[in-house]
Structures are given as C-alpha cells and as structure tokens.
Amino acid sequence: MDASGNISPLDRTWRVVGWALLIVAAVVGLWAMAWRFREGLMVTHMTQHVPWGLWISLYIYFIGLSAGSFLLSTLIYVFGVKRFEAAGPLALLQALGCLVLGMFLIWVDLGHPERFLNVFRYWNPSSVLAWESAFYVAYAAILAVELYLVLRPSLAARAQGASRGARFYRALARGDAVLDEAWKARAARWLKWLGIVGIPVAIGVHGGTGAIFAVVKSRPSWYTGIFPIVFLVSALASGGALLTFLTAVGSGLPREKRLPLVQGLARLTVGVVALDLLLILSEVLVVFYGGIPHHVAGWHETFFGPFWWVFWFVQIGLGALVPILLVAGRRTGSSLGWLALAGFLIVFGIIGVRLNIVIPAQVEPQFATLPEAYHHLRFARGYFPSVNEWLVGLCALALGLIGYLVARRVLPLEEAEREAAAHAAEGGVS
Amino acid sequence: MATDTPTDRRRFLKILGGATACTATATTLAGCTVSGARRPGGNPARRWGMIIDLRRCVACKACVVACKNENKTPPGVAYGVFIEEERGSFPHVQKTGFFRPCMQCANSSCAQVCPTGATYHRADGIVAVDYDKCIGCRYCIAACPYGARSFDYGHDYIEESDNAYNGIPSSEYGAAYGVRKKGASPIGNVRKCTFCLHLQDEHGEYREPPACCRTCMGRAIHFGDLADPEARCVAHGEKMQELLARRAPYRLKEELGNEPAVYYLPAS
C-alpha cells in the first residue's frame, strides 16, 4: 500500500509514483470488471464445490473493516471516551467507505448483478442473507447521517467566502446556517442516539455476516456458534488496525497529539487481536479433540493444505504475533512509524483470516469422491482465484484508496479532527 | 457515571425494554418461516419421491446420461450424478456407487437460505427454482448438504453459436426458458434436478417417469408418490411403501434433519 496521502514530508516524486501506481491499478481493475460483465462468472475459477471465492472473502473483509471502525466510533460518540475523540471523523468515513467496497464486491459476485433489488422485492425472511441486506441499508443510512453531523461544522467553516469551492461547501453544509453551541449540543445528542441504535445494527451487520456462514450445517467448519463472535472480534481488530494505520500516516493532527492517540488505538487493537486468537484456539482445540472427520477436514485444509502459509505466516505471524510484539516493544511501541506498520500488518493479515474462513471449509466436497463423478473444471477439487478475480479485487482496493485520498482532500476531515482534538482537550462531550 | 437517580434508571429500563422488544420481534418473524419459501405448484396430495435399489444397480450410469439429455444441462452443470467409492486394499477391494439426484428435502437447506425465495417448495414436495427471481448468489450451493446444485457458469459443449446442437431448448420448466442465450437465464442462475417436473400433466401427475427412472435398465430407480400408502412406482408398478418395508431403507445424511424424499435400498 502506498501512503501518498498526507504524510507530511513526503517527497513529491513518491507522491507522483504512488498516484501513478494507483491509477494504473484502477484502470487495469476496471478493464477486468468490464471483462467480467461481458463474460459473466465464466471468468472466475469458482466451482460447484467452492461457489464462494476471493470476492466473497474480500466482501466479508470490507464489511468487517466497516463494522469494526463504526464500533470504535461509538466509543467516542456513545461512551464519551475522549482520548479517541480525534479519530472519530476518520472512523466514520472509513466505516462508510469500506461498507461501499464490501457491497461492491458482493454485487460483482452475483450471477445476475442486475437483479440485486430482488433481495428486497422478494425478501425471504428465513434467509440470513436477506436479513443482512436490510441491515446493510439501515447501517449505511446511520453512517451517512453520523458522518454528516460530524463534518457539518467544518463544512460550514469552509463555506465562508464567495469562491466556487465555497459555493460547493455551502451546498454541502445546507446553506450557511449558524451552527452555534445549541446546534452542537443537539448534534452530539443525535450522534449519541444514532450510535446507540447503530451498535446493535453494526453487530447485526457483522455478527450477521458471520451468521451467513454459521447457519450452514452442510459445511461443518462454518457450523459453530462461535463463528459470528469471531467475526465481530476480528472486525474490531481490523477496524482498529486500519484506524491506527491511517491516523498514524495521514492524520492532520500535530505529532504530539497524534502519538498518544495512535498508541491508544494500537494497544486496544492488539488486545482485540489477542482475544481473536483465543477464540480461534478454543474452536480448534474442540474440533481436533473431537476428531469428527468432516469437522476436522476444513481446519486440516487450513493448517496443512496447499495454502498452509496463509494461516501460519499471513494470519498468525504477520497479522497477529508481529504486531503484538511491535506494539508491546518499548522502542517500537512509541514510534509512529512502527505503530503504523503494526496497524498495516493487522489489516493485511485479516485478509488471510477472511480467505481462511471462506475457502477451506468448502474445499472438502459434500461426498469425498464427488469431484471424480463429473469430469469438468467446475467439478474439480480445490480453488485458486483466476487472474480476473485478483484484478477485480485489486480494482476494489485501488478505487477504495483513491476514494479515500479524494475524500481527504474534498471533505474537511482535518478541520473536524483538529476540532475534535480541541474539544477533547477542553474536556467535554456535553 | 452520575449517581443512580430514578431518571437514569427509567432511561436504562426504557432502552432495555426497547432492545428486548426488537429482538423478540425479529426472532418471531424469523421463527415463523425458517423452512424457506413455499408456493403452490403440482398436486398438493402428492409427495413425489424416489427409491433407489442399489442391489439392482449395475453402475452403467445411464441415469446420468438420460438426465443430461432430458434437461440439456450444459457442461459443468449436473443434476444427477453417479458417485463412486473404492474401498479396501488389493486383493480385497470393492467398488460401490450410488446415483444422487436432488433429494427434494422437506426441510431443504437451499430454500431456507435463498435470499429471494427463488428456490421454493412446491405443494407436491418438489424443490424448484424460479430463474427470474434468482440473483445467482450461490448461497444455496454452499448450503446444500448433498452437493446437488450447480451454478450455470455459461459453458457450452460447442463454442460456435450457430451449431444446430446449441439451438435445442431445454425442456425443463416446460421449456419456459427456451434456447440458451449468453447472459440470459438460466446462465448465471443456480440449477438443480426437479424430478423432471416438466413431465407432469396439468393435474400434476406424471405422463411418464423422470428420465433417470425411465432409462434405468436394472429397474433400480423407482419413482412415485410417498404420501399415498397404496401408490405404485410410476415406471415399474411396484408398491412404493412395500419396497421400503421389505428392505432396510436409508436416506443420505439423515442426521442433518433435511428429510430427503430419496430413499436407498442397501446393496447387501
């Protein structure tokens, strides 16, 4: 990932290189998207045994990032934790952006993307996925309103003056209404209530996304009550890690305010990562102790299958142990750069977590010799994403990063952060 | 936190009450319909089912071919497959196998998880797919314990679109979807065995048995109504319940509680 955003002394050349890379990735990705829409899901390597692949893994990845970011923002707006207050606007923006990316990927994954509204038209209440679709919409609305409330004072500040930019911000701020203390108090109350409603909704969004898998009794590695909880915990970990990383490299705060904020976020995040490890350990011990063959199969595939290194190196090594050590270390734990790396590694490692959730559980077919019953590539055992699947995934990442960088420039995020920091310093969520 | 005043407590109770009410409503709503969509279709007095006698089966796999031919399923889409297993070590080896159509479960996992209700239970017990509602999310494939569903990725046997073979429409669902066209249903949909329901007449009775049953030279596949104790196999005339009573029938993955409508009679 390239931090071509706002790291202060970043060399101009590097910034240009970063943007060039991003634009190339986006263009190549968009071409792959066009290819996918022309040819349908033919361009993927998904099979009849592994009907969900890379795109679904990335979908739950982004939903997790979103729900985690949002739940962290409720620490500020609902529970009034002041030390994190300056991270609030970014947390909300991140939550909304990641939700959009997640929705994009599940949409691309549909066999008939043009019919996605059927989920609402013919809503089937016995389907977890149908419930989730409703949750996503409610959640998006809450996020958008919250983000607007947080940014509105800074939008109004930018609306001063007569330039074209000012007109744009005046339109966004809905005129130049006076946003006095009374308005701010009202906004804080709204934020609190939206947060309170948002907590069960966000839990529904990601715990529910976990339940999409957990209710599938035909795939024993998914079929466990701990699964939605693992989803929520790893969501918090990934959301916290992304917030740590972006605050460390891109926040508009001065260094002396940024470091304690990043430290606080990083410590919270690795705590959650440790809890996540504990939950996985619990599940694995129970499964292997019982030793029911089809129950063990998925985990066996994860630990010792052809992609064993995704678990041991990406998920456990880079995604959990290294960041925990980095944050715990005396020198590394008080350096913005190392903490940023710790955050980035967790964000990266959770991709491994998501892949390992989705794919190994499906690799073991419903009957051991079913793949041999039909000789066709769609009946083959195992799964590895096709070039197109990778490129569409890359497209989502690149568009997400570009969207974030543009949003940083267009939206008054830095003002909102500084104001929140000042507000926290003078002591008060009212 | 402020001291525990009555106002605080009232507020807390209000929130708690609201949350409980929401959860209760959600659970009730979900609880009503956990078995998936049910829609009319077929004869409600019937419960079509299959009895597969593995002692009579010679593993010729004509059932698989007949199924392909009847439903014109494209490459990579299989309604009925023949699953074989090899056991033992040389020289004491044995090869066994069984035909696996869709089980047409009474508590099907596929209809349960389908977000649009595109997969639904007909009144005669057959689980069908409404291709126009299906969005192609493939949740049903992930959920089916029998691997009985296939996503139509869009493969063709012959690539040239003007080849005459590609102009033959599939007769499934009364040939409602016509000739295969790129981008149009059933491409991009999930497909499955329907017990050849297009072979039913207007009263929901079978004019002729499903292709696999009709073609079976060992008369190993019996097909008929499981609801009526006197009902006979549509193809061979044996009493369905008698077939079940005389041997020790079993159903695949019985422990999952899906209540399949396909019974097997053991080979030995």
Side-chain angles (χ1 to χ4, degrees), chain B residues 90-101:
Chain B
F90 184 81
H92 306 293
V93 290
Q94 185 193 25
K95 191 168 186 177
T96 58
F98 60 93
F99 177 58
R100 191 242 50 207

Side-chain angles (χ1 to χ4, degrees), chain B residues 25 32 36-37 87 120 144 169 206-207 219 222 225 236:
Chain B
T25 325
C32 289
R87 283 180 219 173
Y120 64 101
C144 174
Y206 275 82
R207 286 190 305 265
R219 298 187 173 193
H222 307 284
D225 181 12
H236 321 120

